[in-house]
Amino acid sequence: MEWTDEGIVLGVRRHGESSAIVELLTRAHGRHLGLVRGGAGSRMRPLLQPGNSVSAVWRARLDEHLGTYAIEGLKLRAATLLGSSHGVYGVTHLASIARLLPERDPHEDIFARLEHSLDDFDDIGSAAVHLIHFELAMLAELGFGLALENCAVTGETTDLIYVSPKSGGAVSRNAGEPWRDRLLRLPPFLRHGEAASELSEQDLQDGFRLTGLFLLRHVLEPRGQGHSDARAGFINALIRQQARAAIPAP
């Protein structure tokens, strides 16, 4: 058995004295593990960092075997990504969410979204938007997508500013006003068909609250899991950065 594919490094663990088991999210073969001989050595270690894009050749005698990878670098983002606290937390969290996908099951849209997110991760605000969109995409991929294009009560497609915490459906301003204290806020950057506007700290926190609730309820808790520490670390880094930005210069 042999195939060649592009992949994004999700994680690495040492195997024996010099080898490593590498976990990739590949474009056409999904989340897939393989043994890299010499993967724990100094030559391969910079290549096998989370967030890097690689070309991988996988070989095994039988399809169900772990198999081995021969890996070459395509886009080595890790040095930049891991140079900031939000980058470290963000990449770690993206990898933890991607691990919710079943092994060896292709998810090309998720691969493309992860690649796009990692390519635009320098600014913490942009990184936060990508994380929220990635969590939404993962909910949809796992069968728990939110219905944010129409009001769940009236069917309207405009002025959607709330989300029902029960159904995951959007709710318009007029329909939701009597129950506004019980509804989640739908931030402008997640509203279907609405032009992008300047992000506020509240918008981003509302986005994380929205995706966090449904990920926890539908995906993590049924597996006996909770949100990753990296997710909390990223949100705290975001809050600290925004607090510093709000302090006027002397």
Side-chain angles (χ1 to χ4, degrees), residues 64-247:
E64 60 266 25
H65 288 176
L66 172 65
T68 62
Y69 274 137
I71 287 180
E72 295 182 1
L74 293 177
K75 187 175 288 188
L76 306 185
R77 309 179 184 87
T80 300
L81 290 170
L82 304 182
S84 65
S85 61
H86 83 263
V88 173
Y89 288 129
V91 172
T92 303
H93 177 56
L94 284 168
S96 73
I97 293 295
R99 288 191 184 97
L100 296 171
L101 296 170
E103 278 192 63
R104 305 190 179 195
D105 188 7
H107 298 271
E108 292 193 32
D109 289 344
I110 292 294
F111 175 88
R113 184 173 287 278
L114 178 59
E115 187 174 47
H116 176 62
S117 298
L118 293 170
D119 283 338
D120 187 28
F121 222 72
D122 292 344
D123 175 73
I124 192 169
S126 297
V129 171
H130 284 302
L131 276 178
I132 293 164
H133 278 291
F134 191 78
E135 291 183 344
L136 277 177
M138 283 294 299
L139 279 167
E141 196 76 9
L142 295 170
F144 304 103
L146 307 187
L148 303 180
E149 297 184 4
N150 304 83
C151 176
V153 179
T154 66
E156 296 175 15
T157 59
T158 59
D159 208 19
L160 306 177
I161 68 167
Y162 301 115
V163 176
S164 167
K166 292 184 178 180
S167 69
V171 180
S172 67
R173 186 186 306 272
N174 288 337
E177 193 62 27
W179 299 278
R180 59 182 300 177
D181 293 338
R182 303 181 188 178
L183 299 173
L184 300 168
R185 183 172 175 269
L186 180 62
F189 71 93
L190 294 181
R191 296 174 193 169
H192 182 68
E194 187 163 320
S197 59
E198 187 174 342
L199 291 171
S200 70
E201 176 183 348
Q202 189 62 53
D203 291 337
L204 294 173
Q205 291 190 31
D206 287 338
F208 279 116
R209 183 185 178 206
L210 176 65
T211 54
L213 173 69
F214 291 102
L215 272 173
L216 198 62
R217 178 190 298 166
H218 295 306
V219 180
L220 297 173
E221 286 183 342
R223 302 175 186 220
Q225 301 178 24
H227 285 303
S228 68
D229 292 339
R231 187 181 196 269
F234 181 92
I235 294 172
N236 288 334
L238 176 67
I239 292 171
R240 289 195 300 270
Q241 170 113 352
Q242 290 172 326
R244 287 196 297 268
I247 300 174

